[in-house]
Amino acid sequence: MGTVTTGDGTTIFYKDWGPRDGEPIVFHHGWPLSADDWDNQMLFFLAQGYRVIAHDRRGHGRSTQTATGHDMDTYAADVTALTDALDLHGAVHIGHSTGGGEVARYVARAKPGRVSKAVLVGAVPPLMLKTEANPGGLPKEVFDGFREGVAGNRAQTFIDIPSGPFYGFNRPGAQVSQGLIDNWWRQGMMGAANAHYECIAAFSETDFTEDLKQIDVPVLVAHGTDDQVVPYDDSAPLTVKLLKNGTLKSYEGYPHGMLSTHPEVLNPDILAFIRS
């Protein structure tokens, strides 16, 4: 575990496990979580001989609770600071949800040779918000509800989200894991309320269309068809159409948090893509 300091003095916490000469995989977490959300994947890929790295986004987890910089441009710049400090080349970048947007923006702007492949899982691109150009998106009122929850009773909101739509535990017959719910709450409450509040606009209102068009490396787009947080129809299929070298893999009935509910399926699929 270590830290890197960005240009504006923000301290970014990260984990870095495995052989220094191993192929690097960098994991980007979703809102409002931390690097800890990747424990399962990091252990899996570590056992396969990879160097695995995961950071806490600014304002999240153990990174600095900054007053500013809660936008995708700054998030991507923070990733650049991290990858430069670790001198990563030919890295695979894997992002879930908000982290998928961060990956798209970073990879589109990355220096030549820094990135070999990318994986977007339940990711927010191209654009979540409903607009004239994106009629299938979610209305602003949905995201205002998230903001009201964070400002009004963040602790309860961070129980309600994982107990319900995030892992699909609100579906009939779902096998509910109290551990996943508690760990989601724990990670969320480690971060700053202002960062979580402002990140809602970052993940919902950022248009990644031009980023996706600029990405040259192979990209796997994995998405559950029963994603209640980032609806399937307005995300994954549209993202693949914008990519130069994208592959869509759909998971019938899987929820937004499928990396945690179905790691035995997702991990080998991602490994196969990296090795392909």
Side-chain angles (χ1 to χ4, degrees):
M1 296 184 291
T3 59
V4 62
T5 302
T6 68
D8 68 352
T10 299
T11 299
I12 301 295
F13 170 93
Y14 67 91
K15 308 175 187 184
D16 183 359
W17 306 340
R20 302 299 90 171
D21 60 350
E23 183 178 357
I25 302 177
V26 183
F27 297 92
H28 305 245
H29 66 79
W31 176 92
L33 305 174
S34 73
D36 293 355
D37 201 44
W38 292 105
D39 283 353
N40 184 292
Q41 283 71 39
M42 289 184 73
L43 289 172
F44 175 85
F45 286 99
L46 180 66
Q48 300 292 330
Y50 291 90
R51 178 182 180 182
V52 293
I53 299 152
H55 67 287
D56 291 352
R57 189 170 297 117
R58 65 168 57 211
H60 296 64
R62 290 138 294 202
S63 291
T64 303
Q65 296 193 2
T66 57
T68 59
H70 307 295
D71 58 84
M72 282 294 165
D73 285 346
T74 307
Y75 295 160
D78 290 347
V79 175
T80 298
L82 174 63
T83 55
D84 283 354
L86 298 180
D87 195 27
L88 301 181
H89 295 269
V92 178
H93 284 263
I94 303 177
H96 175 240
S97 196
T98 299
E102 182 177 278
V103 167
R105 181 132 300 177
Y106 166 74
V107 173
R109 301 178 177 186
K111 301 170 186 175
R114 291 287 187 179
V115 180
S116 63
K117 291 183 179 181
V119 181
L120 308 179
V121 184
V124 297
L127 171 64
M128 286 195 72
L129 185 68
K130 181 177 182 178
T131 64
E132 286 188 11
N134 185 41
L138 294 171
K140 187 173 181 291
E141 288 75 19
V142 171
F143 305 107
D144 287 341
F146 282 114
R147 279 182 273 262
E148 290 170 5
V150 170
N153 189 342
R154 185 168 64 130
Q156 184 60 50
T157 298
F158 286 3
I159 293 173
D160 295 341
I161 293 172
S163 298
F166 196 91
Y167 296 117
F169 291 159
N170 55 348
R171 295 306 197 202
Q175 294 184 349
V176 177
S177 167
Q178 190 62 45
L180 283 180
I181 296 169
D182 292 348
N183 193 40
W184 204 100
W185 183 89
R186 177 191 68 83
Q187 292 178 74
M189 295 306 293
M190 288 169 63
N194 69 315
H196 293 159
Y197 188 93
E198 294 181 25
C199 185
I200 294 167
F203 75 67
S204 65
E205 298 178 19
T206 302
D207 189 339
F208 298 96
T209 298
E210 294 307 314
D211 301 286
L212 296 170
K213 289 179 180 178
Q214 292 174 30
I215 295 173
D216 293 320
V217 300
V219 181
L220 172 65
V221 181
H223 215 105
T225 62
D226 193 34
D227 191 321
Q228 301 173 67
V229 178
V230 182
Y232 176 87
D233 288 341
D234 198 57
S235 51
L238 303 184
T239 290
V240 169
K241 289 180 181 179
L242 293 166
L243 290 165
K244 296 174 183 175
N245 190 1
T247 300
L248 174 61
K249 192 165 182 62
S250 306
Y251 295 84
E252 187 64 33
Y254 280 23
H256 186 61
M258 63 183 181
L259 284 159
S260 297
T261 59
H262 298 82
E264 75 285 353
V265 176
L266 269 294
N267 292 351
D269 285 353
I270 294 172
L271 177 62
F273 169 73
I274 293 173
R275 287 179 170 172
S276 65

PDB file of all heavy atoms in Angstrom, residues 1-23:
ATOM      1  N   MET A   1       0.839  -1.191   0.000  1.00  0.00           N
ATOM      2  CA  MET A   1       0.000   0.000   0.000  1.00  0.00           C
ATOM      3  C   MET A   1       0.874   1.241   0.000  1.00  0.00           C
ATOM      4  O   MET A   1       1.957   1.261   0.575  1.00  0.00           O
ATOM      5  CB  MET A   1      -0.920   0.010   1.220  1.00  0.00           C
ATOM      6  CG  MET A   1      -1.927  -1.136   1.250  1.00  0.00           C
ATOM      7  SD  MET A   1      -3.070  -1.060   2.632  1.00  0.00           S
ATOM      8  CE  MET A   1      -1.954  -1.402   3.997  1.00  0.00           C
ATOM      9  N   GLY A   2       0.410   2.311  -0.667  1.00  0.00           N
ATOM     10  CA  GLY A   2       1.197   3.522  -0.753  1.00  0.00           C
ATOM     11  C   GLY A   2       0.318   4.705  -1.090  1.00  0.00           C
ATOM     12  O   GLY A   2      -0.907   4.606  -1.155  1.00  0.00           O
ATOM     13  N   THR A   3       0.961   5.832  -1.309  1.00  0.00           N
ATOM     14  CA  THR A   3       0.247   7.041  -1.709  1.00  0.00           C
ATOM     15  C   THR A   3       1.059   7.769  -2.769  1.00  0.00           C
ATOM     16  O   THR A   3       2.273   7.628  -2.857  1.00  0.00           O
ATOM     17  CB  THR A   3       0.026   8.003  -0.524  1.00  0.00           C
ATOM     18  OG1 THR A   3       1.294   8.383   0.031  1.00  0.00           O
ATOM     19  CG2 THR A   3      -0.845   7.351   0.543  1.00  0.00           C
ATOM     20  N   VAL A   4       0.360   8.553  -3.578  1.00  0.00           N
ATOM     21  CA  VAL A   4       0.993   9.433  -4.553  1.00  0.00           C
ATOM     22  C   VAL A   4       0.332  10.798  -4.402  1.00  0.00           C
ATOM     23  O   VAL A   4      -0.868  10.889  -4.137  1.00  0.00           O
ATOM     24  CB  VAL A   4       0.838   8.879  -5.993  1.00  0.00           C
ATOM     25  CG1 VAL A   4      -0.620   8.793  -6.395  1.00  0.00           C
ATOM     26  CG2 VAL A   4       1.604   9.738  -6.981  1.00  0.00           C
ATOM     27  N   THR A   5       1.105  11.840  -4.545  1.00  0.00           N
ATOM     28  CA  THR A   5       0.592  13.201  -4.409  1.00  0.00           C
ATOM     29  C   THR A   5       0.425  13.827  -5.783  1.00  0.00           C
ATOM     30  O   THR A   5       1.360  13.831  -6.596  1.00  0.00           O
ATOM     31  CB  THR A   5       1.539  14.064  -3.556  1.00  0.00           C
ATOM     32  OG1 THR A   5       1.703  13.449  -2.276  1.00  0.00           O
ATOM     33  CG2 THR A   5       0.966  15.459  -3.365  1.00  0.00           C
ATOM     34  N   THR A   6      -0.759  14.341  -6.059  1.00  0.00           N
ATOM     35  CA  THR A   6      -1.064  14.928  -7.364  1.00  0.00           C
ATOM     36  C   THR A   6      -0.595  16.378  -7.417  1.00  0.00           C
ATOM     37  O   THR A   6      -0.128  16.943  -6.423  1.00  0.00           O
ATOM     38  CB  THR A   6      -2.567  14.865  -7.651  1.00  0.00           C
ATOM     39  OG1 THR A   6      -3.246  15.752  -6.749  1.00  0.00           O
ATOM     40  CG2 THR A   6      -3.098  13.457  -7.466  1.00  0.00           C
ATOM     41  N   GLY A   7      -0.771  17.003  -8.571  1.00  0.00           N
ATOM     42  CA  GLY A   7      -0.310  18.366  -8.767  1.00  0.00           C
ATOM     43  C   GLY A   7      -0.937  19.378  -7.840  1.00  0.00           C
ATOM     44  O   GLY A   7      -0.323  20.410  -7.533  1.00  0.00           O
ATOM     45  N   ASP A   8      -2.182  19.134  -7.396  1.00  0.00           N
ATOM     46  CA  ASP A   8      -2.832  20.089  -6.499  1.00  0.00           C
ATOM     47  C   ASP A   8      -2.685  19.700  -5.027  1.00  0.00           C
ATOM     48  O   ASP A   8      -3.376  20.229  -4.169  1.00  0.00           O
ATOM     49  CB  ASP A   8      -4.315  20.252  -6.863  1.00  0.00           C
ATOM     50  CG  ASP A   8      -5.146  19.000  -6.598  1.00  0.00           C
ATOM     51  OD1 ASP A   8      -4.560  17.942  -6.264  1.00  0.00           O
ATOM     52  OD2 ASP A   8      -6.385  19.072  -6.720  1.00  0.00           O
ATOM     53  N   GLY A   9      -1.774  18.756  -4.757  1.00  0.00           N
ATOM     54  CA  GLY A   9      -1.486  18.386  -3.377  1.00  0.00           C
ATOM     55  C   GLY A   9      -2.373  17.303  -2.789  1.00  0.00           C
ATOM     56  O   GLY A   9      -2.254  16.982  -1.610  1.00  0.00           O
ATOM     57  N   THR A  10      -3.234  16.722  -3.616  1.00  0.00           N
ATOM     58  CA  THR A  10      -4.110  15.648  -3.141  1.00  0.00           C
ATOM     59  C   THR A  10      -3.322  14.353  -2.989  1.00  0.00           C
ATOM     60  O   THR A  10      -2.533  13.989  -3.863  1.00  0.00           O
ATOM     61  CB  THR A  10      -5.261  15.425  -4.135  1.00  0.00           C
ATOM     62  OG1 THR A  10      -6.030  16.627  -4.226  1.00  0.00           O
ATOM     63  CG2 THR A  10      -6.170  14.284  -3.691  1.00  0.00           C
ATOM     64  N   THR A  11      -3.548  13.654  -1.895  1.00  0.00           N
ATOM     65  CA  THR A  11      -2.908  12.365  -1.658  1.00  0.00           C
ATOM     66  C   THR A  11      -3.850  11.250  -2.099  1.00  0.00           C
ATOM     67  O   THR A  11      -4.966  11.143  -1.589  1.00  0.00           O
ATOM     68  CB  THR A  11      -2.554  12.177  -0.179  1.00  0.00           C
ATOM     69  OG1 THR A  11      -1.633  13.206   0.222  1.00  0.00           O
ATOM     70  CG2 THR A  11      -1.909  10.823   0.072  1.00  0.00           C
ATOM     71  N   ILE A  12      -3.410  10.451  -3.058  1.00  0.00           N
ATOM     72  CA  ILE A  12      -4.192   9.329  -3.564  1.00  0.00           C
ATOM     73  C   ILE A  12      -3.638   8.035  -2.968  1.00  0.00           C
ATOM     74  O   ILE A  12      -2.464   7.705  -3.157  1.00  0.00           O
ATOM     75  CB  ILE A  12      -4.154   9.257  -5.105  1.00  0.00           C
ATOM     76  CG1 ILE A  12      -4.710  10.548  -5.727  1.00  0.00           C
ATOM     77  CG2 ILE A  12      -4.916   8.029  -5.612  1.00  0.00           C
ATOM     78  CD1 ILE A  12      -6.179  10.804  -5.457  1.00  0.00           C
ATOM     79  N   PHE A  13      -4.486   7.326  -2.253  1.00  0.00           N
ATOM     80  CA  PHE A  13      -4.114   6.037  -1.655  1.00  0.00           C
ATOM     81  C   PHE A  13      -4.237   4.940  -2.702  1.00  0.00           C
ATOM     82  O   PHE A  13      -5.172   4.939  -3.503  1.00  0.00           O
ATOM     83  CB  PHE A  13      -5.049   5.738  -0.485  1.00  0.00           C
ATOM     84  CG  PHE A  13      -4.935   4.339   0.071  1.00  0.00           C
ATOM     85  CD1 PHE A  13      -4.091   4.063   1.131  1.00  0.00           C
ATOM     86  CD2 PHE A  13      -5.687   3.304  -0.458  1.00  0.00           C
ATOM     87  CE1 PHE A  13      -3.986   2.782   1.646  1.00  0.00           C
ATOM     88  CE2 PHE A  13      -5.587   2.015   0.040  1.00  0.00           C
ATOM     89  CZ  PHE A  13      -4.730   1.749   1.091  1.00  0.00           C
ATOM     90  N   TYR A  14      -3.295   3.990  -2.687  1.00  0.00           N
ATOM     91  CA  TYR A  14      -3.403   2.863  -3.610  1.00  0.00           C
ATOM     92  C   TYR A  14      -2.797   1.603  -3.010  1.00  0.00           C
ATOM     93  O   TYR A  14      -1.965   1.662  -2.107  1.00  0.00           O
ATOM     94  CB  TYR A  14      -2.711   3.181  -4.949  1.00  0.00           C
ATOM     95  CG  TYR A  14      -1.200   3.315  -4.867  1.00  0.00           C
ATOM     96  CD1 TYR A  14      -0.372   2.201  -5.063  1.00  0.00           C
ATOM     97  CD2 TYR A  14      -0.597   4.539  -4.593  1.00  0.00           C
ATOM     98  CE1 TYR A  14       1.016   2.318  -4.990  1.00  0.00           C
ATOM     99  CE2 TYR A  14       0.783   4.660  -4.520  1.00  0.00           C
ATOM    100  CZ  TYR A  14       1.581   3.550  -4.718  1.00  0.00           C
ATOM    101  OH  TYR A  14       2.947   3.664  -4.633  1.00  0.00           O
ATOM    102  N   LYS A  15      -3.242   0.465  -3.532  1.00  0.00           N
ATOM    103  CA  LYS A  15      -2.671  -0.842  -3.223  1.00  0.00           C
ATOM    104  C   LYS A  15      -1.911  -1.304  -4.462  1.00  0.00           C
ATOM    105  O   LYS A  15      -2.367  -1.069  -5.585  1.00  0.00           O
ATOM    106  CB  LYS A  15      -3.762  -1.865  -2.901  1.00  0.00           C
ATOM    107  CG  LYS A  15      -4.753  -1.438  -1.838  1.00  0.00           C
ATOM    108  CD  LYS A  15      -5.854  -2.490  -1.688  1.00  0.00           C
ATOM    109  CE  LYS A  15      -6.948  -2.007  -0.762  1.00  0.00           C
ATOM    110  NZ  LYS A  15      -7.970  -3.052  -0.522  1.00  0.00           N
ATOM    111  N   ASP A  16      -0.809  -1.982  -4.254  1.00  0.00           N
ATOM    112  CA  ASP A  16       0.021  -2.443  -5.368  1.00  0.00           C
ATOM    113  C   ASP A  16       0.604  -3.794  -4.967  1.00  0.00           C
ATOM    114  O   ASP A  16       1.568  -3.848  -4.203  1.00  0.00           O
ATOM    115  CB  ASP A  16       1.123  -1.407  -5.644  1.00  0.00           C
ATOM    116  CG  ASP A  16       1.990  -1.771  -6.842  1.00  0.00           C
ATOM    117  OD1 ASP A  16       1.756  -2.825  -7.462  1.00  0.00           O
ATOM    118  OD2 ASP A  16       2.911  -0.987  -7.142  1.00  0.00           O
ATOM    119  N   TRP A  17      -0.012  -4.866  -5.460  1.00  0.00           N
ATOM    120  CA  TRP A  17       0.387  -6.215  -5.072  1.00  0.00           C
ATOM    121  C   TRP A  17       0.926  -6.982  -6.277  1.00  0.00           C
ATOM    122  O   TRP A  17       0.484  -6.767  -7.400  1.00  0.00           O
ATOM    123  CB  TRP A  17      -0.804  -7.006  -4.512  1.00  0.00           C
ATOM    124  CG  TRP A  17      -1.538  -6.357  -3.379  1.00  0.00           C
ATOM    125  CD1 TRP A  17      -1.092  -5.367  -2.551  1.00  0.00           C
ATOM    126  CD2 TRP A  17      -2.877  -6.657  -2.958  1.00  0.00           C
ATOM    127  NE1 TRP A  17      -2.068  -5.038  -1.635  1.00  0.00           N
ATOM    128  CE2 TRP A  17      -3.168  -5.812  -1.858  1.00  0.00           C
ATOM    129  CE3 TRP A  17      -3.852  -7.557  -3.394  1.00  0.00           C
ATOM    130  CZ2 TRP A  17      -4.404  -5.847  -1.188  1.00  0.00           C
ATOM    131  CZ3 TRP A  17      -5.073  -7.601  -2.736  1.00  0.00           C
ATOM    132  CH2 TRP A  17      -5.339  -6.757  -1.644  1.00  0.00           C
ATOM    133  N   GLY A  18       1.828  -7.909  -6.012  1.00  0.00           N
ATOM    134  CA  GLY A  18       2.307  -8.788  -7.069  1.00  0.00           C
ATOM    135  C   GLY A  18       3.674  -8.406  -7.580  1.00  0.00           C
ATOM    136  O   GLY A  18       4.282  -7.415  -7.154  1.00  0.00           O
ATOM    137  N   PRO A  19       4.194  -9.185  -8.532  1.00  0.00           N
ATOM    138  CA  PRO A  19       5.543  -8.967  -9.056  1.00  0.00           C
ATOM    139  C   PRO A  19       5.669  -7.650  -9.790  1.00  0.00           C
ATOM    140  O   PRO A  19       4.797  -7.278 -10.573  1.00  0.00           O
ATOM    141  CB  PRO A  19       5.738 -10.160 -10.006  1.00  0.00           C
ATOM    142  CG  PRO A  19       4.352 -10.583 -10.389  1.00  0.00           C
ATOM    143  CD  PRO A  19       3.500 -10.326  -9.187  1.00  0.00           C
ATOM    144  N   ARG A  20       6.759  -6.926  -9.538  1.00  0.00           N
ATOM    145  CA  ARG A  20       6.973  -5.631 -10.191  1.00  0.00           C
ATOM    146  C   ARG A  20       7.076  -5.769 -11.696  1.00  0.00           C
ATOM    147  O   ARG A  20       6.769  -4.825 -12.434  1.00  0.00           O
ATOM    148  CB  ARG A  20       8.254  -4.967  -9.673  1.00  0.00           C
ATOM    149  CG  ARG A  20       8.320  -4.723  -8.172  1.00  0.00           C
ATOM    150  CD  ARG A  20       7.232  -3.816  -7.672  1.00  0.00           C
ATOM    151  NE  ARG A  20       6.045  -4.573  -7.272  1.00  0.00           N
ATOM    152  CZ  ARG A  20       5.009  -4.062  -6.647  1.00  0.00           C
ATOM    153  NH1 ARG A  20       4.990  -2.775  -6.385  1.00  0.00           N
ATOM    154  NH2 ARG A  20       3.970  -4.805  -6.311  1.00  0.00           N
ATOM    155  N   ASP A  21       7.531  -6.930 -12.167  1.00  0.00           N
ATOM    156  CA  ASP A  21       7.653  -7.129 -13.610  1.00  0.00           C
ATOM    157  C   ASP A  21       6.439  -7.837 -14.197  1.00  0.00           C
ATOM    158  O   ASP A  21       6.445  -8.218 -15.370  1.00  0.00           O
ATOM    159  CB  ASP A  21       8.930  -7.914 -13.936  1.00  0.00           C
ATOM    160  CG  ASP A  21       8.961  -9.290 -13.276  1.00  0.00           C
ATOM    161  OD1 ASP A  21       8.098  -9.570 -12.420  1.00  0.00           O
ATOM    162  OD2 ASP A  21       9.866 -10.086 -13.610  1.00  0.00           O
ATOM    163  N   GLY A  22       5.405  -8.033 -13.396  1.00  0.00           N
ATOM    164  CA  GLY A  22       4.190  -8.676 -13.891  1.00  0.00           C
ATOM    165  C   GLY A  22       3.359  -7.711 -14.719  1.00  0.00           C
ATOM    166  O   GLY A  22       3.488  -6.486 -14.604  1.00  0.00           O
ATOM    167  N   GLU A  23       2.516  -8.259 -15.598  1.00  0.00           N
ATOM    168  CA  GLU A  23       1.626  -7.402 -16.388  1.00  0.00           C
ATOM    169  C   GLU A  23       0.682  -6.673 -15.439  1.00  0.00           C
ATOM    170  O   GLU A  23      -0.013  -7.298 -14.644  1.00  0.00           O
ATOM    171  CB  GLU A  23       0.827  -8.242 -17.389  1.00  0.00           C
ATOM    172  CG  GLU A  23      -0.068  -7.411 -18.292  1.00  0.00           C
ATOM    173  CD  GLU A  23      -0.829  -8.238 -19.310  1.00  0.00           C
ATOM    174  OE1 GLU A  23      -0.623  -9.471 -19.362  1.00  0.00           O
ATOM    175  OE2 GLU A  23      -1.629  -7.657 -20.068  1.00  0.00           O
TER     176      GLU A  23
END
